[in-house]
Amino acid sequence: VDLHLDLGGGGGGRRAALERALRDAVRSGRLAAGARLPSTRVLAAELGLARGTVSAAYDQLVAEGYLSARGGSGTVVASRSQPAAPAPALVRPAAAPRYDLRPGSPDVTTFPVAAWLRATRRALAAAPASAYDYGDPRGRVELRTALADYLGRTRGVLASPERVVVTSGYVQALGLLATVLGGTFAMEDPCLGLHREVVRRGGAGIAPLPVDRAGARTDLLAGALAGVTAAVLTPAHQFPIGVTLAPARRRAATDWARAGGGLVVEDDYDGEFRYDRQPVGALQGMAPDQVVYAGSASKTLGPGLRLGWLVLPERLVGPVLDAKRHSDLHTGTIDQLALAELVAGHGYDRHLRACRQRYRRRRDRLVGTLAAVTGIAAGLHALVGLPDAVSEARVRDAAAGHGLAVGALGDYWHAAQAGHPGGLVVGFGTPAEGSYPAALDRLGAVLHGVAERGASRRG
Ligand SMILES: Cc1ncc(COP(=O)(O)O)c(C=O)c1O
């Protein structure tokens, strides 16, 4: 046990100073009831005191009731030495809903624990001691090499390890890009408010980029939105609407970028989960010098890892690395090595294949249970349309009464505005496998109830 005691200040000699310091530590709660104190020999050596001085101070505090001596097993802080715990804070974290159909997370109960452990063991057995030292801001070469190969093979990304930068999730990647590029970012409207705030705090402005049934209005980039430095897109599966960026819109984005308009940032957050027969490759493959590809392990493994990656045009590698170095030097090495091992050994592919099947079954069940479900070709969430007379708030209130949480489109617009269509954003990937059917049944019952009540009111 290490113990920090400040013997400076106050009068009365070294023993009195030690007693005072121990008393303060106990009173303030820094030393909790039951905590073991160092032996008199160790503390005397640490503080440069005679052992007898420390013994005498301990005896005094035992007499005062702060400490208790336990015969041969040392001295501990007495159990009634501290004031009662303060009343619990008024702000408590909101209780987790029993059934969670909000978008954002995969089913984290399926994290491949055994495969991850094996990968970590193999990675650390092979790692040189330098792996535990400060490292390259790009990230470990093992992971960059594995990702360059994997992304080329599965997503059609043109990548080389030198152009990959490992980040602490997409959130950090986006913040770094805002810092490096500055100016104004066109961001899909709707999109995640967190991402808008990250861009803002990175130092760039925001311009809303409308989304329709063909995806983001990239045709506006060369017109009404001319002058923006970057366009942040979710081409494979728009978040939260769920549409796929149409071929003409993909072309409009790359044409704009090629003509010197700016950079496209491709957020491929759920590109691994495609259910229809038309695999949609990454936009980056069409214009690797104009598109920054951004990926993340948050949907494929779990957001807790905080692992993401950028594949950058060559000219941006240096500036992004400079920003990364001044942000956090580099992303933690051990998890990078484990992920490299998992990807290179194809355990990642196996895990994703199993996840894809599971999520496809869930998606099919969603479509079979509810009406007006769209955005279902990919990903872990879908959009459920609401009748005009039914508000998102009413559905959410009713759902909360059933212990059910669900996302709403209204959470994602850049600005609240009359005329925005309403809808639920249902994260069918989020619940644990066993509770998904019940969660869905409840949502069905809630929607039915709300619609019935609306109809009877109108009648
Ligand atoms: C639209 C979108 N982009 C990116 C991500 C990944 O973000 P991060 O890697 O920071 O967890 C998410 C969440 O999974 C998301 O919903």
Side-chain angles (χ1 to χ4, degrees):
V1 279
D2 261 346
L3 186 57
H4 168 78
L5 293 170
D6 182 3
L7 303 193
R14 308 274 279 162
R15 177 179 147 189
L18 176 57
E19 286 173 12
R20 208 166 32 241
L22 283 169
R23 229 179 261 119
D24 287 350
V26 174
R27 276 207 207 105
S28 67
R30 257 194 328 114
L31 273 175
R36 228 174 126 158
L37 272 79
S39 71
T40 53
R41 184 182 54 76
V42 167
L43 192 59
E46 269 176 14
L47 298 175
L49 299 173
R51 192 169 172 188
T53 306
V54 176
S55 285
Y58 277 15
D59 288 347
Q60 178 60 34
L61 286 161
V62 168
E64 291 175 17
Y66 286 99
L67 303 180
S68 64
R70 289 222 178 126
S73 64
T75 305
V76 298
V77 176
S79 53
R80 261 175 305 190
S81 57
Q82 277 152 343
L90 288 175
V91 181
R92 293 199 194 89
R98 174 135 189 242
Y99 299 102
D100 195 349
L101 286 175
R102 288 173 297 188
S105 296
D107 175 358
V108 288
T109 67
T110 64
F111 184 88
V113 175
W116 187 262
L117 273 172
R118 278 194 303 276
T120 305
R121 200 172 293 122
R122 270 198 306 270
L124 294 192
S130 62
Y132 307 105
D133 206 341
Y134 292 113
D136 188 334
R138 275 171 230 258
R140 289 295 298 193
V141 68
E142 294 90 334
L143 180 56
R144 291 186 286 113
T145 306
L147 283 174
D149 169 68
Y150 168 81
L151 294 172
R153 175 164 60 78
T154 64
R155 303 292 300 127
V157 174
L158 291 171
S160 62
E162 297 72 41
R163 285 168 48 173
V164 176
V165 176
V166 179
T167 61
S168 299
Y170 173 71
V171 157
Q172 186 189 39
L174 185 61
L176 295 176
L177 291 169
T179 303
V180 166
L181 298 169
T184 299
F185 278 30
M187 295 187 75
E188 293 172 333
D189 188 10
C191 71
L192 263 179
L194 172 72
H195 292 169
R196 294 197 294 274
E197 192 55 27
V198 164
V199 166
R200 212 170 273 130
R201 291 182 189 212
I206 313 266
L209 179 61
V211 175
D212 65 16
R213 278 203 246 167
R217 292 281 313 273
T218 50
D219 52 310
L220 299 177
L221 290 169
L225 286 169
V228 298
T229 42
V232 182
L233 309 176
T234 47
H237 189 226
Q238 204 277 332
F239 189 88
I241 290 186
V243 288
T244 302
L245 193 64
R249 296 279 173 83
R250 286 164 71 94
R251 258 192 319 278
T254 50
D255 285 352
W256 163 75
R258 274 205 197 92
L263 200 80
V264 174
V265 178
E266 175 174 29
D267 174 6
D268 197 35
Y269 67 107
D270 66 3
E272 277 87 355
F273 300 106
R274 189 95 216 157
Y275 310 118
D276 54 13
R277 295 247 159 74
Q278 289 257 279
V280 178
L283 194 58
Q284 190 267 5
M286 290 167 63
D289 288 328
Q290 281 77 35
V291 180
V292 174
Y293 176 89
S296 165
S298 289
K299 292 279 196 276
T300 56
L301 290 166
L305 281 174
R306 306 313 306 133
L307 276 177
W309 40 87
L310 287 172
V311 181
L312 293 160
E314 204 171 318
R315 65 185 181 285
L316 279 180
V317 173
V320 168
L321 286 181
D322 185 61
K324 171 74 177 158
R325 188 184 290 113
H326 291 92
S327 167
D328 62 354
L329 293 179
H330 62 82
T331 295
T333 303
I334 313 296
D335 285 345
Q336 288 192 52
L337 290 174
L339 181 57
E341 186 67 40
L342 197 66
V343 174
H346 298 151
Y348 193 63
D349 288 80
R350 283 191 291 279
H351 170 67
L352 284 178
R353 210 170 303 129
C355 288
R356 214 174 282 127
Q357 283 173 10
R358 191 177 316 115
Y359 293 134
R360 176 198 275 273
R361 279 197 300 272
R362 292 189 187 196
R363 178 203 72 151
D364 292 348
R365 193 173 184 125
L366 175 70
V367 175
T369 307
L370 304 181
V373 185
T374 56
I376 55 171
L380 308 185
H381 75 274
L383 190 65
V384 175
L386 294 175
D388 282 346
V390 174
S391 74
E392 293 169 353
R394 196 133 66 81
V395 177
R396 280 228 277 226
D397 280 353
H402 287 74
L404 176 71
V406 64
L409 205 45
D411 298 340
Y412 301 102
W413 303 107
H414 286 224
Q417 204 173 292
H420 280 321
L424 302 181
V425 185
V426 176
F428 56 81
T430 313
E433 186 76 358
S435 71
Y436 178 65
L440 203 50
D441 287 349
R442 271 165 198 251
L443 181 56
V446 164
L447 286 170
H448 186 70
V450 168
E452 292 253 293
R453 251 171 279 135
S456 69
R457 240 180 250 143
R458 279 195 301 280

